[in-house]
Amino acid sequence: MIKLFSLKQQKKDGEATPKVGNQKKASAAQLRITKDINELNLPKTCNTEFPDPDDLLSFKLIICPDEGFYRGGRFVFSFKVGPNYPHEPPKVKCETPVYHPNIDLDGNVCLNILREDWKPVLTINSIVYGLQYLFLEPNPEDPLNKEAAEVLQNNRRVFEMNVLKAMRGGCVGSTFFERCLK
């Protein structure tokens, strides 16, 4: 049985409840990201890396598509989870330069659930599957790289050749892409 009166009296007398070590209380974002990561159900084409195992708010996702235009590629995304997660989406950047209509040359990603369609019920798993889907079905209707979107809409064969050229480490137009094949 909890003795509320004696706890109240201790506080009044200035006796704080003993602290175990120097532990800080976990933030809501830390608690939620821990839950999301524990429940992560990655497809076989994806894996995660945690550069600092004690910092779950900053990690990398590696996607290696096994079909579509980007088959055989290896694409690294950085995730930065802010203190307002899950009320705000994590910041996701593609670290691998890629010729893609929905990813610009600065690594910004155009995925609706990372912007206006984000809801706190969505998880890291939702984002992983959304990113993977971008590689299976690039969306030229909502582009960040307008030139790639235009080529995809007008000539799928040329788009496919540009993707291969970029993934092998070459120039598409005046832009050089590092090799990103596995």
Side-chain angles (χ1 to χ4, degrees):
M1 171 172 258
I2 299 176
K3 296 180 180 166
L4 291 176
F5 184 75
S6 63
L7 285 174
K8 208 173 191 181
Q9 190 61 43
Q10 282 179 345
K11 280 187 181 176
K12 204 183 271 181
D13 295 342
E15 296 173 20
T17 52
K19 294 205 182 220
V20 183
N22 259 349
Q23 289 181 332
K24 287 188 346 191
K25 188 175 178 188
S27 70
Q30 289 168 319
L31 293 171
R32 173 61 188 273
I33 196 68
T34 301
K35 179 182 184 297
D36 281 8
I37 288 168
N38 285 335
E39 294 174 356
L40 209 51
N41 185 12
L42 293 175
K44 67 183 186 329
T45 56
C46 300
N47 65 22
T48 53
E49 288 179 0
F50 291 86
D52 177 357
D54 295 329
D55 182 10
L56 298 182
L57 300 177
S58 182
F59 62 95
K60 296 189 184 310
L61 170 74
I62 295 94
I63 299 179
C64 300
D66 59 1
E67 57 184 286
F69 294 120
Y70 299 91
R71 178 180 52 247
R74 183 179 187 276
F75 306 95
V76 179
F77 291 84
S78 64
F79 280 64
K80 302 264 186 277
V81 180
N84 294 326
Y85 182 78
H87 301 288
E88 290 177 5
K91 303 283 183 244
V92 178
K93 279 251 196 206
C94 185
E95 294 184 353
T96 309
V98 59
Y99 180 79
H100 194 293
N102 309 111
I103 302 171
D104 69 15
L105 298 175
D106 294 325
N108 298 307
V109 180
C110 184
L111 184 63
N112 62 334
I113 62 171
L114 291 175
R115 300 179 317 194
E116 71 277 359
D117 290 341
W118 177 258
K119 293 173 179 48
V121 297
L122 294 173
T123 63
I124 296 299
N125 221 40
S126 310
I127 299 168
V128 169
Y129 279 91
L131 291 172
Q132 185 185 31
Y133 188 72
L134 281 183
F135 285 105
L136 298 175
E137 292 291 331
N139 178 7
E141 301 298 320
D142 188 18
L144 278 179
N145 181 337
K146 291 180 182 8
E147 187 267 330
E150 197 174 297
V151 174
L152 176 57
Q153 285 179 316
N154 296 332
N155 191 332
R156 289 180 73 83
R157 184 72 191 126
V158 170
F159 178 80
E160 184 176 16
M161 290 186 326
N162 285 348
V163 168
L164 283 173
K165 199 184 302 180
M167 287 185 3
R168 287 184 182 132
C171 286
V172 176
S174 61
T175 306
F176 176 75
F177 293 87
E178 295 281 332
R179 181 179 171 86
C180 67
L181 291 172
K182 292 194 288 184

